[in-house]
């Protein structure tokens, strides 16, 4: 998924294999939150967009993660919904990896 800094991610994945207590948070969730927080800028560059920021709004029953980016100098956003913040991050990274992100022009950012 991330070619730059790949050796660090590989070492992290190896350490994560030792994670045995998934009662509170799963290995998948730990990896997703870590990759999102540490490597999102790298992932965005590889995918052709510039990461600007993100926000999360709690909702019932679904929350919404909004990732903000510039694509060709034009402000865009992508929305991902899920029951929790972590669920949104997992879904966002899955969509990114599979090429399913649906970017929309950001009408609030000029």
């Amino acid at each position: 998924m991330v070619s730059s800094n790949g050796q660090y991610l590989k070492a992290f994945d190896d350490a994560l294999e030792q994670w045995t207590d998934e009662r509170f948070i799963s290995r998948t969730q730990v990896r997703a939150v870590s990759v999102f927080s540490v490597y999102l800028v790298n992932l965005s560059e590889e995918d052709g967009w510039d990461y600007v920021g993100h926000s999360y709004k709690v909702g019932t029953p679904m929350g919404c993660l909004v990732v903000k980016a510039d694509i060709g100098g034009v402000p865009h956003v992508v929305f991902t919904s899920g029951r929790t913040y972590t669920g949104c991050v997992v879904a966002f990274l899955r969509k990114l990896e599979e090429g399913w992100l649906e970017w929309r022009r950001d009408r609030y950012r000029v």
Side-chain angles (χ1 to χ4, degrees):
M1 178 185 256
V2 179
S3 60
S4 58
N5 296 323
Q7 72 274 13
Y8 300 112
L9 191 57
K10 172 72 171 105
F12 179 75
D13 286 339
D14 291 343
L16 193 56
E17 285 298 315
Q18 304 304 313
W19 184 274
T20 56
D21 185 356
E22 294 191 16
R23 290 175 293 174
F24 183 68
I25 188 167
S26 71
R27 252 187 229 126
T28 301
Q29 292 169 323
V30 169
R31 187 178 194 282
V33 170
S34 300
V35 168
F36 187 83
S37 346
V38 176
Y39 292 109
L40 190 55
V41 171
N42 302 66
L43 294 172
S44 69
E45 288 174 0
E46 288 180 9
D47 201 45
W49 47 277
D50 296 318
Y51 172 73
V52 173
H54 69 277
S55 63
Y56 177 75
K57 181 177 180 183
V58 176
T60 303
M62 305 288 269
C64 184
L65 174 69
V66 180
V67 176
K68 303 169 189 176
D70 287 334
I71 302 174
V74 178
H76 282 77
V77 292
V78 65
F79 302 94
T80 304
S81 59
R83 293 195 181 276
T84 64
Y85 173 78
T86 307
C88 289
V89 170
V90 170
F92 172 83
L93 290 175
R94 184 179 58 244
K95 290 192 292 186
L96 172 63
E97 189 171 14
E98 295 174 3
W100 288 98
L101 292 177
E102 294 182 26
W103 292 101
R104 302 183 191 281
R105 287 185 75 130
D106 188 345
R107 57 186 178 181
Y108 297 107
R109 200 167 40 103
V110 180

